[in-house]
Amino acid sequence: MRDSPLEAANVHIMNTSGVSMGTSPAKTMSQKSVIRAIRGNAKSFDLSGKAITSVPTSVSEIQNLCVLRLQNNLIRALPEDLTSLYNVSYNVNTSNRHWKTVIFLNLNTMYPSLHIVFKLTELHLSNNAFGEIPSVLGHIKWLKKLYLSGNRITALSPLVCAGLGNLVVLNLNHNKIQHLPPEIKSLAKLERLTMTDNKLEALPPEFGQLSNLIQLNLSRNHLSWLPGELYSCRELTRLYVARNRIKVLPVGIRALAKLNTLDVAGNKLSMFPVEFHMLPLQELYCEGNQFVQQLPITSVQVKTVFSLKELAARLVLLEDRNKHSKVHRALPLYPCLEAILAGWGHCPLCLGPILNFWLECVHFLRVKKGMKMSLRTVPVRAVLCSYECFNREGHSYYGVSLHSDENLCQPMQRWSLEGSR
């Protein structure tokens, strides 16, 4: 009978007779566990809490391994053999019989009838001694879940990021990471990222390209601000940034139309951004901030004369609302002007356009019934177009003043500070 292509290529199942992992009790026990897993064709293998300092290379001989648990050990590095953890199916019909052989090998020769099935999709490496993310992980391109909490990792390697395009879950809690590289955008399929208790100081703008992100937990870091690009993560439903140093949330938070849980407790916020109350929140945790207090004091106003640029911009923006106006039709012919006007806002009272100057205000909103939160009333930022609107009767907007005695922000009714973008 003619040999199959696989036999001709000397492809075979690796045996375990030559496995050698040393003579220590921990390694001997691990060796026996590996042999049992190989013989049992295990899909999940657990070597957690075995006090081992290295991963037995024979682990790569477990043919159908999908989940590998190595947490709570003393491991510092991973073997290169982990990259060979995949299966190959070879199908052939002979004498009206269907043969299907599932084998394990390092694939060197490719046949049209071979079907690669990647198996190792979940890897647990928490509570070990890794000083950096092992470079071998950048070559396990089919990995979907990676847990690396409780190590000594100080940076996320750009090369590793580039090779983990199929990652869905990444846990880096309790490490020492200070920065994330722009290559974080390579994790295009990432849905859950947790990095609590690190030393993150900022997020790169490329973070906004994680379009599949559903849950983000960055609590207990050193963040003083969040990039506006974060609001491009339109699938985000849970955002945790508690115990940081954040003073203000970027404008445009309404873009997170699916956000139902927000934790900003223990920061330095004085108020929430414009249109914050439009979010479909079900849970809000915001205790431990420096919110303005609703303690009205005497009103003082200083006459403001708007610049010619501001007055002209407001007129153009107002005319642009009319789709039949000459301004609306001519504006696309001046891209530089469109860029200047792109950051406009509007007054919540008269709905008139605002470009660079406004009156800084706040209004206090009660949360909706059934919503879980630590406070019942929250201050939300608002910007009014002029004192004319501010002095209207029947609204609940307050100007903001810094109280010099207690160094607390307090609302001052019928008074406001002038702001500029």
Side-chain angles (χ1 to χ4, degrees):
M1 181 177 175
R2 188 177 179 179
D3 291 338
S4 71
L6 293 180
E7 292 169 334
N10 293 320
V11 174
H12 57 86
I13 301 176
M14 293 184 180
N15 62 63
T16 62
S17 59
V19 174
S20 176
M21 299 187 298
T23 57
S24 69
K27 288 186 176 181
T28 300
M29 185 178 299
S30 299
Q31 177 185 10
K32 293 179 180 179
S33 298
V34 173
I35 293 174
R36 287 196 297 269
I38 294 173
R39 291 175 177 173
N41 202 21
K43 292 184 178 180
S44 177
F45 183 55
D46 191 347
L47 276 181
S48 59
K50 303 297 183 183
I52 57 176
T53 58
S54 61
V55 182
T57 55
S58 53
V59 166
S60 60
E61 297 183 31
I62 307 175
Q63 295 180 16
N64 291 317
L65 189 61
C66 297
V67 180
L68 179 57
R69 301 180 184 276
L70 299 169
Q71 66 267 32
N72 303 321
N73 283 295
L74 303 171
I75 303 169
R76 296 176 180 270
L78 295 178
E80 296 293 331
D81 288 351
L82 284 183
T83 59
S84 62
L85 278 173
Y86 53 76
N87 283 353
V88 177
S89 298
Y90 173 65
N91 295 280
V92 61
N93 284 306
T94 305
S95 302
N96 296 322
R97 291 181 299 171
H98 179 71
W99 297 79
K100 183 175 181 182
T101 307
V102 180
I103 61 175
F104 169 85
L105 74 163
N106 287 315
L107 188 60
N108 296 316
T109 305
M110 185 65 71
Y111 294 95
S113 55
L114 294 181
H115 174 58
I116 303 176
V117 182
F118 298 121
K119 287 296 181 180
L120 185 60
T121 57
E122 186 172 330
L123 183 57
H124 295 255
L125 300 171
S126 297
N127 300 320
N128 275 283
F130 294 103
E132 60 181 8
I133 297 181
S135 59
V136 67
L137 295 180
H139 301 286
I140 309 179
K141 300 182 182 297
W142 52 90
L143 202 60
K144 292 186 177 181
K145 297 181 180 180
L146 176 59
Y147 300 88
L148 275 163
S149 66
N151 282 280
R152 304 167 187 172
I153 299 168
T154 57
L156 190 59
S157 167
L159 293 177
V160 173
C161 283
L164 292 175
N166 289 309
L167 207 61
V168 176
V169 176
L170 177 59
N171 187 324
L172 291 167
N173 293 343
H174 312 300
N175 280 287
K176 301 179 180 181
I177 301 173
Q178 292 183 333
H179 304 284
L180 293 175
E183 288 77 6
I184 190 75
K185 64 183 180 182
S186 300
L187 307 181
K189 296 184 180 180
L190 198 63
E191 295 180 2
R192 292 173 52 196
L193 174 61
T194 57
M195 295 186 65
T196 65
D197 193 22
N198 275 272
K199 297 183 178 181
L200 277 178
E201 297 177 354
L203 298 179
E206 290 79 6
F207 209 88
Q209 297 186 36
L210 302 180
S211 57
N212 289 303
L213 202 60
I214 295 175
Q215 177 176 320
L216 176 62
N217 194 334
L218 301 174
S219 296
R220 296 191 296 278
N221 276 280
H222 298 166
L223 296 170
S224 57
W225 58 280
L226 296 175
E229 289 83 358
L230 179 62
Y231 296 159
S232 296
C233 303
R234 302 299 174 86
E235 298 299 316
L236 201 61
T237 61
R238 295 183 294 277
L239 175 60
Y240 305 90
V241 288
R243 311 298 184 267
N244 278 280
R245 304 167 183 174
I246 301 171
K247 294 183 178 181
V248 61
L249 294 176
V251 176
I253 195 170
R254 187 182 179 184
L256 298 179
K258 295 184 179 181
L259 192 68
N260 58 50
T261 301
L262 176 63
D263 188 353
V264 292
N267 280 282
K268 298 182 179 181
L269 295 173
S270 60
M271 63 184 78
F272 288 103
V274 174
E275 296 187 335
F276 173 80
H277 57 290
M278 304 296 289
L279 291 173
L281 289 176
Q282 298 175 5
E283 298 182 39
L284 173 63
Y285 305 99
C286 55
E287 70 277 6
N289 280 279
Q290 301 173 0
F291 290 126
V292 295
Q293 300 179 13
Q294 193 172 0
L295 301 173
I297 58 178
T298 305
S299 169
V300 177
Q301 294 183 14
V302 178
K303 182 65 176 178
T304 299
V305 178
F306 293 117
S307 67
L308 181 60
K309 178 182 177 180
E310 178 70 17
L311 293 173
R314 293 188 180 190
L315 178 60
V316 170
L317 288 169
L318 193 61
E319 284 294 316
D320 187 45
R321 292 179 177 179
N322 182 1
K323 295 182 180 180
H324 301 290
S325 70
K326 293 181 180 180
V327 171
H328 179 77
R329 294 196 298 268
L331 200 56
L333 302 177
Y334 301 91
C336 293
L337 182 57
E338 277 193 315
I340 293 174
L341 300 177
W344 71 282
H346 68 271
C347 175
L349 291 179
C350 70
L351 303 181
I354 306 171
L355 185 61
N356 290 322
F357 295 91
W358 60 81
L359 302 179
E360 189 79 18
C361 298
V362 61
H363 58 136
F364 296 86
L365 299 177
R366 293 188 62 83
V367 298
K368 56 189 177 184
K369 293 182 179 180
M371 181 175 169
K372 296 180 180 178
M373 67 169 295
S374 50
L375 300 176
R376 302 313 305 172
T377 303
V378 295
V380 177
R381 181 173 177 264
V383 292
L384 271 62
C385 66
S386 64
Y387 284 118
E388 183 179 353
C389 274
F390 187 67
N391 288 324
R392 288 184 180 182
E393 297 294 334
H395 69 75
S396 59
Y397 293 96
Y398 293 80
V400 180
S401 172
L402 184 65
H403 196 286
S404 58
D405 294 337
E406 301 177 8
N407 197 30
L408 292 174
C409 286
Q410 297 182 352
M412 181 178 288
Q413 195 169 28
R414 296 295 181 269
W415 183 92
S416 71
L417 295 175
E418 185 176 309
S420 63
R421 281 188 174 87

